[in-house]
Amino acid sequence: MDLPPYATLGQKIWHYGFLVICGLIFFFLIAPIMVIIPLSFNAEDFFTFTPEMLAFDPEGYSLKHYRDFFTNPDWQQALWNSVKIAPAATFLSVTLGTLAAIGLSQDHVPFRRAIMAILISPMIVPLIISAAGMYFFYSRIGLQGTYLGVVLAHAALGIPFVIITVTATLVGFDRSLTRASASLGADPVTTFFKVQMPLILPGVISGGLFAFITSFDEVVVVLFVGSANQQTLPWQMFTGLREQISPTILAVATILVVISIALLTTVEILRRRSEKIRGMSPG
Amino acid sequence: MSTLNSSGPQTADAPTPDDAFHEATGLDARESQPPHGSGDGDGPVLAADGRPLKQSLKRALRAQKLRALMLIAPLLIFVLVTFIAPIADMLFRSVENQIVSDTLPRTTQALAGWDEDSGAMPPDNILAAFTYDMVAAAERKEHTRLGTRLNYEMTGISSLFRKTGRRVDDFGETYLDQFEALDPAWEEAKTWVRLMGDPDWLAANADWAAEADAAGRDFDKPAPPFELKPGIAAALPETADAYAEFARITQVEDEDNPAEEEPWAPVYLALFRDLAKQPAPDFAALAAPDRALLAPAAQAVPDFETVALADLYIKADEDWADPEVWKTIKAFSPDYTSGYFLASVDLQKTVDGVSAQPEDRQIYMLLFKRTLFMSMVIMGSCVLLGYPIAYLLSNLPMRTSNLLLILVLLPFWTSLLVRTSAWKVLLQQQGVINDILVWAHIVADDARLVMINNQFGTIVAMTHILLPFMILPLYSVMKTIPPSYVRAAKSLGATNWTAFWRVYFPQSVPGIGAGCILVFILAIGYYITPELVGGTTGTFISNRIAYHISSSLNWGLAAALGTILLAVVLILYWLYDRLVGIDNVSLG
């Protein structure tokens, strides 16, 4: 991207113009997310910067919206529901998904394409359609409005992510290692836990993180499959945004942004680690 | 990036079962050749355990396939039950229409022979069938559900059914009074149950009643289900049918004993119609006491004062005189209907065929068009904004581009609701953008821009949300374009623009294709963002689906709209698979 020393004026203008455009697009990507962080410390119940805030007057800032989030029973119940649902759904998708990914990476799998299409489908079908179908079907079999129903629905939505990340990791897995382990007398279960699992663990964990964030962020399906007792954090935000918009939402949003930064960092570290193990990247 | 069909780098130096498989096919070929010369006559190659090698290799292969399937099976079953079955259920609901024939079984059968072009109400026999169905449905409280269902097809039927359901158990009262005047025995439940009930059932039912009386309150043994006396259905077909319905509902819905309850008035209507039939019914097959009860009634019936059922219905609600009501019931009699699909494309189903909906009800084509149009606009703005970013990222040194990639991945990882609420905060009339514009004196304080709750709000917010899905596939394609091609073009005299347009751009087209389809698929089914920032003009077809599920409760129409949307997505997805390949879905 460096400009050659012999560049003409027109080329220079074009080059810097391009960089400015790119900067504006990055601004468009990041600014909306960053703007809510200072706004969440607003001392007033406004959604915009007050004159006190712009003057960096400490009076203009407060933690009252965070206090509201941590004391309001509605928000606490929603947080607690999210914390109960997401790990259960993640556990289901990761255990079943990892097993299936190992099965799918074998040499001779009959109907591999058809099976793959079915397992990936929850990611392809628009959420509103999944939600409609699950609402109809789960109310037929009595799962609508239950904790189990929401967990099963979220697990189904998380499975494609686990399958994709784990199969990608398994491509670089040297299968002569399992044969070596077997030749040294280990049974398949020991081989799996002692040899294969530690090596594909980064892929499994990042698949699990994807499944977790899918469930933790999901609102359409839980709106239909859940009932008031399964009201999750995104659901509470959704009703908050639609009906009585309260600045507490900005505090929650800030907390969620911090969580996503943490998750993003973890996934990035895991990805580099697994690439290093597979010898695909020098860094 | 995963390529599932490669079997790993180790195949070159280590033997795998795959090699064995190839060997087995090789052996196969060798055996099928006729042995030439005498040196080959020592039979097939044997494995260590004495079996032919080909057989044992095949067995090993089968075991391997089975093991792979066993590992996949739990997840496959899980997805089939929790995800595929719901989708199948939705497809089924989009054509299912059993509620009409389940609630009005006699009517739908009778209407099959009705000439709908007569321009009048159906004749008495159909109205009688409808009366028996309605009184049963009203007792089960199902008539309002059916009314709601038919109201989707013709406005006003819902209230018609509700009103009539309250009065239909009086239809036939004229005959009830006249039968009772003739013989007070008709008034008694016992007379009826003896006439209609099977003797064995009568005995069992009497035992059950005695047991219930003795046990008192907490008695929960089910009563023996009512059975008709043999022969009675032949002698008095309508009466037997109507009474059996009455007895079953009394037992199941009301948990009463039919031997102690007087039948509904429509049962008397049925009795009158049976007795008044020409030629007179034959009671020869019945027992003597029944004959004694029925003979005087049969003789008196021709002199009964009659009342036309049509008048009763018109008195209950004059809308019944409108043949359109009956045409609608007839048009929706079959168990499966294309009605919901027709309604999803602004058509309606009538007995005469398919016709367009009235102008004021045509909204779905508009919504589909708007959904497609806005998804295209969002896709277009994603290409415009995503292309420069992807180009920049793929041409910067690794370290810088990795750092900048985080700026793309952060929105990708941030909760959808956080991003939507951010836009709500920014775009409001009292929001940050308007405040800045007012502060900079670009707009006046009293002329703040309306940027939310319209199409503009939806397009801006969704472009922001979907932009990473455009950048990531573009970036992964651009990374593979060797920079030497552009340099070569320039060294051959191409200007910057020509080098880009003729050499670089064509190589990035697969990335544009992949990104566009991905963004389009995601945009077309979006629900949350249009719901929150779309107002009334920026909503998508998915918002209508949600409305029909949770507010109007027209599940069939919701399912049909969903099925159409699903079909569009699957076609696009098939295209994506052809262009990019299903295994190449990358997660950053």
Side-chain angles (χ1 to χ4, degrees):
Chain A
M1 276 315 275
D2 286 335
L3 215 51
Y6 51 82
T8 60
L9 182 67
Q11 279 173 331
K12 273 184 192 159
I13 293 175
W14 178 242
H15 178 78
Y16 289 111
F18 177 72
L19 288 185
V20 168
I21 291 173
C22 285
L24 287 176
I25 298 171
F26 276 122
F27 181 75
F28 171 75
L29 270 172
I30 291 298
I33 299 171
M34 289 304 143
V35 133
I36 53 176
I37 296 177
L39 278 180
S40 69
F41 294 101
N42 198 336
E44 307 288 332
D45 283 351
F46 294 149
F47 283 97
T48 187
F49 292 99
T50 55
E52 293 86 23
M53 291 181 86
L54 292 175
F56 292 108
D57 183 353
E59 294 284 296
Y61 295 87
S62 96
L63 287 172
K64 68 180 224 177
H65 303 311
Y66 290 88
R67 210 172 302 128
D68 185 41
F69 172 65
F70 285 110
T71 50
N72 186 324
D74 284 351
W75 283 106
Q76 284 307 298
Q77 182 61 43
L79 176 66
W80 177 234
N81 280 335
S82 280
V83 168
K84 267 197 313 188
I85 289 167
T90 309
F91 175 77
L92 266 179
S93 7
V94 169
T95 40
L96 294 177
T98 307
L99 272 187
I102 291 172
L104 277 168
S105 65
Q106 310 270 321
D107 284 322
H108 305 286
V109 185
F111 316 111
R112 182 185 341 240
R113 277 188 73 82
I115 290 173
M116 199 68 182
I118 290 174
L119 297 185
I120 299 289
S121 61
M123 196 172 77
I124 308 303
V125 175
L127 277 176
I128 185 73
I129 294 176
S130 317
M134 284 172 172
Y135 179 67
F136 296 147
F137 186 70
Y138 287 10
S139 45
R140 238 185 244 270
I141 58 175
L143 279 176
Q144 201 271 329
T146 64
Y147 170 71
L148 181 66
V150 177
V151 168
L152 291 180
H154 277 181
L157 295 180
I159 277 166
F161 298 100
V162 178
I163 292 279
I164 289 173
T165 47
V166 179
T167 43
T169 318
L170 280 168
V171 169
F173 179 74
D174 185 351
R175 241 172 301 155
S176 46
L177 291 177
T178 55
R179 267 180 242 127
S181 151
S183 78
L184 291 172
D187 57 85
V189 177
T190 318
T191 307
F192 175 74
F193 281 108
K194 294 266 176 187
V195 178
Q196 194 164 19
M197 193 63 187
L199 284 171
I200 62 169
L201 198 60
V204 174
I205 293 178
S206 65
L209 285 177
F210 270 108
F212 182 84
I213 204 88
T214 306
S215 165
F216 200 74
D217 262 0
E218 207 290 322
V219 57
V220 186
V221 168
V222 78
L223 268 178
F224 287 97
V225 176
S227 67
N229 289 332
Q230 285 87 41
Q231 197 149 350
T232 58
L233 215 47
W235 184 345
Q236 182 75 20
M237 286 183 79
F238 178 72
T239 38
L241 281 172
R242 198 161 56 169
E243 283 142 25
Q244 23 85 36
I245 174 156
S246 115
T248 310
I249 288 173
L250 297 184
V252 182
T254 307
I255 295 173
L256 290 181
V257 169
V258 172
I259 293 178
S260 16
I261 292 177
L263 285 178
L264 170 65
T265 320
T266 319
V267 169
E268 201 55 24
I269 290 170
L270 286 172
R271 196 176 58 91
R272 293 203 181 160
R273 213 182 105 102
S274 91
E275 272 179 11
K276 209 184 285 179
I277 290 176
R278 283 148 60 181
M280 283 166 68
S281 139
Chain B
M1 225 65 21
S2 77
T3 40
L4 289 176
N5 42 6
S6 93
S7 50
Q10 73 281 12
T11 34
D13 47 359
T16 68
D18 209 27
D19 301 343
F21 179 64
H22 293 312
E23 239 155 75
T25 41
L27 283 171
D28 225 4
R30 207 166 72 190
E31 263 165 44
S32 59
Q33 278 170 4
H36 32 216
S38 52
D40 259 341
D42 40 343
V45 184
L46 296 184
D49 59 353
R51 289 167 194 277
L53 180 59
K54 197 178 84 180
Q55 222 178 60
S56 71
L57 284 176
K58 266 192 183 157
R59 223 166 52 138
L61 185 68
R62 210 166 39 235
Q64 209 189 7
K65 278 187 181 174
L66 202 69
R67 205 178 58 207
L69 278 186
M70 293 264 279
L71 285 169
I72 301 169
L75 183 69
L76 193 62
I77 293 166
F78 182 83
V79 172
L80 285 177
V81 171
T82 58
F83 190 78
I84 302 295
I87 298 292
D89 189 23
M90 187 193 73
L91 299 182
F92 174 68
R93 272 187 204 263
S94 66
V95 291
E96 185 229 38
N97 187 46
Q98 277 152 357
I99 181 169
V100 182
S101 54
D102 277 356
T103 321
L104 306 174
R106 300 171 187 83
T107 317
T108 47
Q109 220 172 18
L111 274 175
W114 176 55
D115 172 22
E116 62 267 10
D117 298 323
S118 59
M121 276 180 80
D124 253 16
N125 64 329
I126 297 179
L127 292 179
F130 184 64
T131 310
Y132 311 143
D133 284 337
M134 266 304 265
V135 71
E139 289 292 328
R140 290 199 193 101
K141 311 209 170 34
E142 279 172 359
H143 65 297
T144 48
R145 266 182 56 212
L146 178 64
T148 314
R149 161 70 186 99
L150 289 172
N151 205 54
Y152 301 141
E153 313 302 338
M154 183 179 174
T155 320
I157 291 196
S158 177
S159 72
L160 190 59
F161 268 64
R162 216 173 31 244
K163 242 192 259 177
T164 312
R166 284 200 292 267
R167 309 179 59 159
V168 74
D169 55 350
D170 296 339
F171 288 12
E173 199 127 83
T174 332
Y175 305 111
L176 187 153
D177 294 343
Q178 291 179 82
F179 276 115
E180 284 176 6
L182 186 74
D183 183 350
W186 285 115
E187 205 172 346
E188 282 171 40
K190 289 237 154 37
T191 320
W192 279 99
V193 85
R194 267 187 218 128
L195 177 66
M196 294 289 166
D198 183 65
D200 293 338
W201 174 81
L202 274 175
N205 192 50
D207 289 346
W208 173 82
E211 216 178 311
D213 279 344
R217 271 185 171 279
D218 34 69
F219 179 75
D220 54 1
K221 200 171 124 188
F226 176 77
E227 277 166 49
L228 275 174
K229 187 188 285 183
I232 193 77
L236 302 168
E238 282 187 35
T239 321
D241 183 31
Y243 186 82
E245 185 86 79
F246 157 76
R248 260 175 245 131
I249 288 183
T250 310
Q251 283 189 318
V252 178
E253 303 292 320
D254 309 340
E255 294 183 357
D256 278 330
N257 187 350
E260 291 162 10
E261 301 290 320
E262 192 187 348
W264 310 318
V267 177
Y268 292 88
L269 165 75
L271 182 65
F272 168 76
R273 286 175 48 82
D274 272 336
L275 293 177
K277 234 175 240 159
Q278 292 302 330
D282 181 19
F283 300 133
L286 296 182
D290 295 343
R291 270 203 308 254
L293 182 71
L294 288 169
Q299 265 184 348
V301 155
D303 304 325
F304 269 20
E305 178 202 340
T306 62
V307 52
L309 274 169
D311 295 340
L312 286 176
Y313 275 100
I314 292 173
K315 224 173 89 189
D317 192 316
E318 55 193 18
D319 280 353
W320 285 116
D322 182 1
E324 287 302 319
V325 172
W326 298 97
K327 280 188 189 177
T328 307
I329 298 178
K330 179 169 177 174
F332 287 89
S333 296
D335 281 351
Y336 298 96
T337 177
S338 56
Y340 293 123
F341 278 104
L342 294 173
S344 332
V345 290
D346 288 337
L347 297 173
Q348 61 180 344
K349 187 186 167 117
T350 58
V351 220
D352 316 317
V354 176
S355 65
Q357 290 267 7
E359 291 273 319
D360 55 324
R361 294 186 65 177
Q362 297 187 4
I363 53 164
Y364 297 108
M365 282 319 272
L366 175 79
L367 270 174
F368 273 117
K369 276 185 214 148
R370 186 199 286 163
T371 307
L372 290 179
F373 169 74
M374 287 181 59
S375 302
M376 299 258 212
V377 173
I378 291 162
M379 184 182 88
S381 21
C382 280
V383 175
L384 280 183
L385 298 181
Y387 199 91
I389 293 291
Y391 181 81
L392 180 76
L393 287 178
S394 54
N395 285 297
L396 280 176
M398 190 74 166
R399 194 164 288 276
T400 331
S401 78
N402 268 349
L403 219 68
L404 285 177
L405 200 59
I406 288 177
L407 296 184
V408 178
L409 288 177
L410 180 64
F412 179 76
W413 274 93
T414 309
S415 163
L416 168 69
L417 276 156
V418 171
R419 287 181 280 170
T420 309
S421 42
W423 281 108
K424 202 150 180 160
V425 167
L426 288 174
L427 296 176
Q428 276 183 41
Q429 283 203 289
Q430 301 301 325
V432 176
I433 292 182
N434 262 313
D435 275 358
I436 293 175
L437 292 177
V438 169
W439 174 77
H441 296 289
I442 295 175
V443 297
D445 198 12
D446 51 356
R448 286 167 176 261
L449 301 177
V450 182
M451 294 183 291
I452 204 165
N453 294 336
N454 54 21
Q455 297 200 356
F456 179 79
T458 309
I459 290 173
V460 171
M462 281 184 62
T463 303
H464 176 249
I465 288 166
L466 296 176
L467 191 51
F469 291 97
M470 178 64 84
I471 295 177
L472 294 176
L474 264 177
Y475 172 57
S476 68
V477 168
M478 285 183 180
K479 246 192 341 191
T480 62
I481 302 177
S484 52
Y485 289 2
V486 174
R487 261 183 258 140
K490 283 185 188 166
S491 79
L492 292 171
T495 60
N496 277 342
W497 170 250
T498 319
F500 169 77
W501 184 246
R502 300 284 300 276
V503 176
Y504 192 87
F505 183 77
Q507 297 186 74
S508 67
V509 164
I512 298 181
C516 281
I517 295 181
L518 193 59
V519 167
F520 196 82
I521 289 178
L522 289 169
I524 204 175
Y526 242 60
Y527 166 65
I528 293 296
T529 310
E531 179 79 19
L532 289 174
V533 300
T536 47
T537 58
T539 50
F540 280 18
I541 196 74
S542 44
N543 301 86
R544 201 70 194 168
I545 297 176
Y547 164 77
H548 280 308
I549 295 172
S550 50
S551 303
S552 84
L553 302 181
N554 190 351
W555 290 7
L557 186 53
L561 290 169
T563 306
I564 296 176
L565 185 58
L566 182 64
V568 174
V569 169
L570 287 183
I571 291 171
L572 287 171
Y573 176 65
W574 175 78
L575 270 178
Y576 183 85
D577 191 27
R578 295 296 303 266
L579 281 176
V580 194
I582 182 174
D583 296 341
N584 282 341
V585 190
S586 143
L587 294 172

